Amino acid sequence: MSHGDHSRDPCPYVILNDFGGAFAMGAIGGGIWHGIKGARNSPRGERFVGSMSAIKARAPVLGGNFGVWGGLFSTYDCAVKGYRQKEDPWNAMIAGFLTGGSLALRAGPRSAFGSAVGCGILLGVFEGVGVLMNRMFAQPIPQMQLPEQAPAAPAVA
Amino acid sequence: MSFLSGLFGGSGSSQPVEKEVSASSELFNSTTFRSNAIPSDPSSSSSSSSSSSALPQPPTSQAPAPVTPAPTALDTFGTAFDPARLHPLAGLGENLDFLALDEDKLNEIEGSASVLPSRGWTDDLCVGTGTTYLSGLVVGGMWGAKEGLSRPLGNNPSMKLRINSILNGCTRRGSFTGNSLGVLAIFYNIANSSLDSIRGRHDTYNVLGAAALSGAIFKSTAGVRPALVGASIMTAAAGAWSAFKNTV
């Protein structure tokens, strides 16, 4: 493996990337989802119009929800990484805990804590599955072949 | 495996002892302390001169071996990779291969260099959408905060009521502005990347065309006339931004 993950930007900039990625995922996926749903819920002959109005009304909102979640998670992830100076599954769990808590903050501290614990557990399950998959599909490290006998002569005379 | 056999003197004993001497002389010639430790017997010097083509030296200079500077990390990684310039004891030949070096290639379309290095159209889409969405969120949040601050709440409103009003304004205006601008940015970035890959280069015409296209798509459900208005507004904004970038 190379040193570190070069397929992503360094930490403060990756927040923008995650924000936009999550927003685009929510908006495009919401467009497909609400397009089909709006077409199914419309009477015959109005299907295209119904689908379009459902997309216009709901897809940006879904994109916004996804984007806020992803961006907040990425921000907390970077902050936790910067504070702990480590990269391990605990980062994502702590960031998920903080994200869930922040998003439910207006509903009161009790509800916020419940949502935070739920999000933290969800992210913990994700990370656990990731670790398990990694361990299952990792190539076994081959045993190093040592020479049979001691070196015949030192390399430098 | 060749590296190991070179290091341990060939446990299979297929390698002659002559190879050992020449390898050690190459070691002395290639390192920095060669000036006081050059092996001086003629047989090894002839063998080292015969094998000096494998010595690490820059491709332009034809100087003899003792003048050749040792390769630094910059020489090795700053130019095109040549395995013969690595250490001669390693015994690396032409059969050296790499694990997928081009897995994260940067965007190579001409003229598309931006503030952040981009790895292709998905990166552009994500970063562009994220930046626009975030700025829309901030601007809309400020708009909503101003609205919530100035909203009449009857005489003698409590602090809690005022904060609630401000938060309501932020979440209403901020999400509306952010969502609209984010969707617009998705359209713009997809159009821009498509035009880039169709035309093979990136310039101001691409920007203007993508802006017109995205503005027209964004307002396309309201009718032809609003679509044209939206396209012209977006084109004007993109033109102003391009002119600003060119003057700075």
Side-chain angles (χ1 to χ4, degrees):
Chain A
M1 286 295 281
S2 55
H3 305 279
D5 188 4
H6 291 296
S7 62
R8 286 163 71 74
D9 287 325
C11 215
Y13 307 106
V14 84
I15 296 174
L16 283 180
N17 205 324
D18 281 348
F19 238 118
F23 181 84
M25 190 162 70
I28 295 174
I32 295 170
W33 175 265
H34 286 295
I36 294 172
K37 201 174 157 191
R40 281 169 58 94
N41 284 339
S42 305
R44 194 169 296 153
E46 303 264 328
R47 295 218 188 271
F48 184 71
V49 180
S51 158
M52 271 300 148
S53 68
I55 290 175
K56 272 169 60 182
R58 304 229 167 83
V61 176
L62 194 64
N65 290 345
F66 266 67
V68 165
W69 204 97
L72 212 54
F73 176 77
S74 183
T75 312
Y76 279 130
D77 200 31
C78 277
V80 170
K81 265 181 209 163
Y83 178 72
R84 295 182 64 216
Q85 299 288 320
K86 271 185 197 173
E87 288 214 25
D88 55 5
W90 287 102
N91 281 345
M93 292 173 65
I94 297 170
F97 180 85
L98 292 172
T99 307
S102 306
L103 286 180
L105 208 56
R106 282 193 81 181
R110 199 184 158 79
S111 163
F113 185 73
S115 166
V117 170
C119 264
I121 289 176
L122 183 70
L123 262 297
V125 169
F126 281 174
E127 289 291 320
V129 169
V131 167
L132 279 185
M133 297 279 272
N134 220 349
R135 212 170 274 173
M136 203 182 296
F137 291 113
Q139 300 286 335
I141 300 172
Q143 199 72 33
M144 193 169 154
Q145 299 271 324
L146 289 176
E148 300 270 331
Q149 61 216 29
V156 178
Chain B
M1 199 52 207
S2 65
F3 172 70
L4 278 182
S5 68
L7 196 60
F8 291 112
S11 60
S13 78
S14 64
Q15 306 210 345
V17 192
E18 181 77 22
K19 182 67 183 290
E20 282 291 316
V21 174
S22 81
S24 69
S25 72
E26 281 175 9
L27 172 65
F28 271 103
N29 282 338
S30 65
T31 43
T32 50
F33 52 86
R34 84 179 78 81
S35 55
N36 46 7
I38 286 181
S40 58
D41 57 318
S43 68
S44 78
S45 79
S46 72
S47 78
S48 83
S49 72
S50 70
S51 67
S52 75
S53 66
L55 274 187
Q57 57 183 344
T60 55
S61 77
Q62 297 299 320
V67 197
T68 317
T72 62
L74 190 64
D75 286 339
T76 308
F77 297 112
T79 57
F81 181 71
D82 182 14
R85 298 179 64 202
L86 285 178
H87 201 281
L89 262 189
L92 299 172
E94 294 300 316
N95 51 357
L96 189 66
D97 54 358
F98 293 98
L99 301 172
L101 265 190
D102 54 353
E103 62 181 348
D104 44 8
K105 214 182 276 182
L106 292 184
N107 197 358
E108 283 172 347
I109 287 181
E110 174 190 356
S112 67
S114 177
V115 184
L116 289 175
S118 160
R119 282 173 294 268
W121 69 273
T122 49
D123 234 24
D124 282 336
L125 178 68
C126 289
V127 174
T129 309
T131 314
T132 322
Y133 178 66
L134 204 57
S135 45
L137 212 57
V138 168
V139 170
M142 277 157 45
W143 177 23
K146 182 176 157 296
E147 206 176 70
L149 272 174
S150 61
R151 163 177 282 172
L153 292 178
N155 45 1
N156 198 9
S158 68
M159 194 65 195
K160 201 170 176 182
L161 214 56
R162 180 56 75 189
I163 287 177
N164 194 41
S165 161
I166 290 173
L167 282 179
N168 277 338
C170 283
T171 47
R172 185 156 124 237
R173 299 299 182 191
S175 58
F176 166 71
T177 319
N179 291 343
S180 307
L181 280 182
V183 170
L184 199 56
I186 289 180
F187 288 151
Y188 172 77
N189 278 301
I190 288 178
N192 197 9
S193 301
S194 311
L195 284 179
D196 277 3
S197 67
I198 287 171
R199 296 186 61 210
R201 52 206 286 267
H202 180 88
D203 54 11
T204 313
Y205 299 115
N206 272 3
V207 172
L208 295 181
L213 210 58
S214 55
I217 293 175
F218 188 68
K219 293 304 269 181
S220 63
T221 51
V224 177
R225 213 177 128 82
L228 286 180
V229 171
S232 46
I233 289 177
M234 276 296 287
T235 313
W241 175 242
S242 294
F244 174 72
K245 269 196 299 190
N246 284 336
T247 53
V248 172

